[in-house]
Amino acid sequence: MKKSIIKKRLIIILILIIAVISTCIYTYKIDKNMSYKEEKNEKTPNNKVIKDKGNNTKKEENKKTQLDKSLDKKTQKNEKTDDKTENSNLEKQNEKLEKENKENRLYTELEKINELDNTEYDFWYVPNSEHMKPKIDENLNSILSKYDTMYVGDTSRKVLYLTMDEGYENNYTNLILDVLKSNDVKATFFVLSSYIENNPNIVLRMVNEGHVVANHSKSHLSTTSLTNDVNTFKCELQSVEQSFKNLTGQEIKKYYRPPMGKYSEKSLSMTKELGYKTVFWSFAYKDWEIDNQPTCEYAQNTILNGLHNGSIILLHPVSKTNSQILDKVIKEAKNQGYNFELLP
């Protein structure tokens, strides 16, 4: 009896012990799981923060790199701009020095020319009916090549050079330009500086339609009367150059026709030193008196009878007669086998 009771009590105690142990084990597992979750929850935000921080760092580094590159580019650009500006300034200085040296050399050469003969001559030629190159003054003939002077062009071909002297406008130049355009003929217009300034649209039309604008002096004075003063002589030609450049942005062609055909050895030499070719003519007629115009028949016959190989024809656009006959003259000259060209 006693043994049975003891046995039962032992069993009960054993069950209680097992129950206590089981409870402890269960509680331990729950605590461990809770701790694990808390630890995980604590770690996850930190990792995210670290990751975000790393991304932010990379972004900042990228921005810094881009900023550095941008600064480098700007620096390089500024350096290039500075170099370009410096080179441009050096080029301008060199151009200025070169221009000054050229002016000094020119002045020296022009001063040396003072020793040359300044006897004034009038250009003239002897017309003929054989369509041959006319004879001219022997004084000029002997110095033509020496001072880059011409009165005819290529006499080996049937070629004509049409030139016109513009002192002032008489409302016929546009009509003459119309005729030249319709016949596909180009001419050389010798102009005064005042003509350029007073008739800019006409001069621009000349240039735009392929004609040559050349120098006829500033004031239409005898060139020989200006040779005693170098600066005055230079101004007489350079004034036209400047007026033309101001209007067109281009350099004027270096052809010069002495007003009234007056010249001296000294004036021809000074003209050459300024870089010009002096251009006289092998045909001209009295067409410049606006109140005493020749008849159309007389003018047309006179011009056509004076044609020859290489002829430099001088006409004045102030002439009403010229504006009326020019179309017929050009067409007839072409029928005779002549071609029109610009001055060589």
Side-chain angles (χ1 to χ4, degrees):
M1 186 71 173
K2 285 182 180 179
K3 287 182 180 180
S4 177
I5 292 170
I6 292 169
K7 187 176 180 180
K8 285 182 180 178
R9 287 179 178 175
L10 288 171
I11 290 170
I12 291 168
I13 292 168
L14 182 61
I15 290 170
L16 289 171
I17 291 170
I18 292 170
V20 170
I21 292 170
S22 298
T23 299
C24 290
I25 292 169
Y26 179 74
T27 301
Y28 174 76
K29 287 182 176 180
I30 289 173
D31 291 341
K32 190 174 182 181
N33 286 336
M34 290 293 290
S35 298
Y36 175 76
K37 286 180 180 179
E38 289 176 0
E39 186 178 353
K40 185 176 180 182
N41 289 335
E42 289 176 358
K43 287 181 178 179
T44 301
N46 289 338
N47 288 339
K48 188 175 181 181
V49 170
I50 292 170
K51 188 175 181 181
D52 290 344
K53 188 175 181 181
N55 289 337
N56 288 336
T57 302
K58 287 182 179 177
K59 287 180 180 178
E60 288 176 0
E61 289 176 352
N62 289 336
K63 286 182 180 178
K64 187 178 180 182
T65 302
Q66 290 175 357
L67 182 61
D68 290 341
K69 287 181 178 179
S70 178
L71 288 172
D72 287 342
K73 286 181 179 178
K74 286 181 180 178
T75 302
Q76 291 174 1
K77 188 176 180 180
N78 289 336
E79 288 176 352
K80 287 181 180 178
T81 302
D82 291 340
D83 290 342
K84 190 174 181 181
T85 302
E86 187 176 350
N87 290 335
S88 178
N89 290 334
L90 285 173
E91 286 177 3
K92 288 180 180 178
Q93 289 176 3
N94 289 335
E95 287 176 1
K96 186 178 179 181
L97 287 172
E98 186 177 348
K99 186 177 180 180
E100 288 177 354
N101 290 335
K102 186 177 180 181
E103 289 287 330
N104 290 335
R105 288 196 300 270
L106 177 61
Y107 190 87
T108 302
E109 290 300 320
L110 291 175
E111 284 292 331
K112 289 180 181 177
I113 294 171
N114 277 332
E115 300 173 4
L116 293 174
D117 182 17
N118 196 39
T119 302
E120 183 178 271
Y121 298 96
D122 289 300
F123 175 78
W124 55 264
Y125 69 94
V126 181
N128 61 76
S129 58
E130 289 80 30
H131 299 283
M132 301 293 292
K133 179 178 76 172
K135 294 181 179 180
I136 62 170
D137 184 356
E138 284 300 320
N139 289 319
L140 177 61
N141 206 22
S142 62
I143 58 175
L144 280 174
S145 59
K146 184 176 180 181
Y147 297 119
D148 205 7
T149 302
M150 64 187 299
Y151 75 101
V152 291
D154 185 355
T155 56
S156 68
R157 298 184 296 123
K158 298 197 74 170
V159 57
L160 303 172
Y161 307 94
L162 185 57
T163 69
M164 302 200 181
D165 288 3
E166 293 272 23
Y168 61 95
E169 184 53 45
N170 197 32
N171 297 322
Y172 296 119
T173 302
N174 275 318
L175 294 175
I176 288 171
L177 287 171
D178 291 341
V179 171
L180 295 176
K181 187 175 182 179
S182 67
N183 286 279
D184 192 25
V185 169
K186 302 295 184 288
T188 301
F189 291 84
F190 290 91
V191 302
L192 304 182
S193 54
S194 58
Y195 186 88
I196 297 173
E197 293 158 6
N198 295 330
N199 304 280
N201 291 335
I202 296 178
V203 174
L204 286 173
R205 182 183 175 186
M206 293 172 184
V207 174
N208 292 334
E209 293 183 1
H211 304 291
V212 168
V213 177
N215 203 321
H216 196 35
S217 82
K218 174 186 176 182
S219 53
H220 207 263
L221 297 173
S222 168
T223 309
T224 59
S225 67
L226 307 171
T227 57
N228 290 329
D229 187 286
V230 171
N231 290 325
T232 301
F233 189 92
K234 284 169 55 181
C235 180
E236 194 67 17
L237 276 70
Q238 292 177 348
S239 173
V240 184
E241 294 175 15
Q242 193 59 53
S243 295
F244 183 76
K245 190 169 185 178
N246 290 343
L247 176 64
T248 66
Q250 302 175 19
E251 300 293 338
I252 200 167
K253 294 291 184 181
K254 289 297 185 79
Y255 294 114
Y256 177 66
R257 175 159 286 158
M260 301 166 285
K262 295 184 180 295
Y263 71 94
S264 67
E265 183 177 4
K266 185 178 179 180
S267 71
L268 293 178
S269 181
M270 292 178 76
T271 302
K272 181 184 176 183
E273 285 300 324
L274 289 172
Y276 281 88
K277 179 189 286 289
T278 298
V279 182
F280 290 108
W281 54 90
S282 61
F283 174 84
Y285 78 115
K286 195 175 181 179
D287 61 349
W288 60 87
E289 293 183 352
I290 60 175
D291 295 325
N292 185 28
Q293 284 288 286
T295 65
C296 289
E297 182 180 3
Y298 170 81
Q300 185 174 330
N301 289 335
T302 301
I303 295 172
L304 291 174
N305 289 334
L307 299 182
H308 65 84
N309 288 8
S311 175
I312 295 179
I313 301 170
L314 164 59
L315 301 178
H316 290 86
V318 294
S319 167
K320 180 180 179 180
T321 300
N322 285 341
S323 70
Q324 294 172 331
I325 67 167
L326 185 59
D327 183 68
K328 292 180 180 178
V329 167
I330 290 174
K331 284 181 169 58
E332 179 57 30
K334 286 184 175 182
N335 287 337
Q336 293 181 21
Y338 289 100
N339 291 315
F340 288 85
E341 295 181 7
L342 289 171
L343 290 171

